[in-house]
Amino acid sequence: MMLKVQFTLLDSNNFYQQGLLYVLQDYIDFLNECYQYSPQSAPVEFNSLDNMEIIFRTQEDNQGCASCYISAHHTPQHQQMTMMILENQEHYHSTKHSLSFSIHRDDSTSQVRQKLQLALEHFCHQPLAVRISSLYKCHRCRLAALSACEKKVLKLMSTGMSATTIADMLQRSQKTISAHKRSAMRKLNVNKNSELNRVLLGQLGLG
């Protein structure tokens, strides 16, 4: 019996994709040899990996995210594992993602294999909720998570209104308006007003 794993690479760098795919397939061949000749020495459980899909994605927003991804292989969500490909200049982002579910573009072959094995070990032993959690949410999914009140407050802010003016207009306290703003910033993963202003300039999904 051969282990069947689907790899989906959502990366615009075709040259890197080809190299990564070779490393990944070589690792699966290694696992198959382990299961065939020495099952006891296999690094991860066979049954937990069979018929799964491993999705490698970058932080390009047009690719969507794990929350809205639709598998071309019709793989159930609980059998999908997402790994992030981080650029050299994005090393600082790694703290925002599980280090067990990310690789860097300048990683060596051995580093990719080690990180993939670590990710698979976590995937096999974590609860279902952790398996299918989104390591990275795209702009569309973050906007979809906003409540109606949060969208209304942000839309009014996009016109230049202050929290005080919005509170008077909606007949709410300024504290409530500020709470909606903080909650929206958390969901949109922005920490500064300047970052929020960039979102408001686009006004995408706030209608």
Side-chain angles (χ1 to χ4, degrees):
M1 184 176 179
M2 299 291 286
L3 181 66
K4 296 178 182 178
V5 176
Q6 298 286 351
F7 292 108
T8 300
L9 279 60
L10 303 177
D11 183 11
S12 58
N13 187 328
N14 292 329
F15 181 78
Y16 179 79
Q17 279 194 49
Q18 292 301 316
L20 179 58
L21 190 59
Y22 175 82
V23 173
L24 299 175
Q25 192 56 59
D26 184 65
Y27 178 73
I28 295 301
D29 291 342
F30 159 73
L31 289 182
N32 275 317
E33 287 185 10
C34 288
Y35 295 132
Q36 185 175 357
Y37 299 109
S38 182
Q40 297 81 5
S41 65
V44 284
E45 299 175 17
F46 184 95
N47 292 335
S48 300
L49 302 184
D50 199 30
N51 294 314
M52 72 176 293
E53 180 179 1
I54 304 176
I55 303 105
F56 285 82
R57 61 172 65 250
T58 65
Q59 291 180 301
E60 296 176 32
D61 211 51
N62 60 358
Q63 297 174 346
C65 64
S67 295
C68 59
Y69 172 73
I70 299 176
S71 172
H73 307 288
H74 307 291
T75 309
Q77 195 176 39
H78 69 275
Q79 289 180 266
Q80 299 172 13
M81 183 179 80
T82 296
M83 292 194 71
M84 298 297 298
I85 302 173
L86 301 177
E87 303 288 348
N88 299 341
Q89 64 268 30
E90 291 177 342
H91 281 208
Y92 67 94
H93 283 307
S94 59
T95 55
K96 295 184 179 181
H97 308 288
S98 169
L99 294 178
S100 303
F101 293 92
S102 63
I103 61 174
H104 290 97
R105 205 176 286 279
D106 60 352
D107 282 344
S108 65
T109 297
S110 61
Q111 287 175 317
V112 171
R113 286 172 64 105
Q114 289 171 1
K115 290 180 177 181
L116 177 59
Q117 181 168 315
L118 181 62
L120 290 172
E121 289 172 357
H122 278 257
F123 182 85
C124 292
H125 294 100
Q126 292 298 316
L128 179 62
V130 175
R131 284 190 182 191
I132 64 176
S133 64
S134 176
L135 301 178
Y136 164 72
K137 286 186 177 180
C138 63
H139 185 68
R140 180 175 59 184
C141 287
R142 290 188 183 280
L143 286 173
L146 296 176
S147 69
C149 290
E150 290 164 352
K151 286 185 178 181
K152 183 179 291 186
V153 167
L154 291 187
K155 188 172 183 180
L156 291 173
M157 283 185 173
S158 71
T159 66
M161 289 187 184
S162 67
T164 303
T165 303
I166 295 172
D168 291 340
M169 177 181 290
L170 300 181
Q171 296 183 327
R172 297 286 188 272
S173 69
Q174 188 173 341
K175 185 177 180 181
T176 297
I177 300 303
S178 297
H180 285 319
K181 176 186 174 183
R182 287 194 302 273
S183 176
M185 290 179 69
R186 184 177 65 255
K187 291 178 181 178
L188 293 172
N189 196 31
V190 297
N191 301 310
K192 300 177 181 177
N193 284 331
S194 58
E195 295 175 348
L196 179 61
N197 288 337
R198 282 196 290 271
V199 174
L200 297 181
L201 282 174
Q203 298 186 54
L204 298 175
L206 295 178

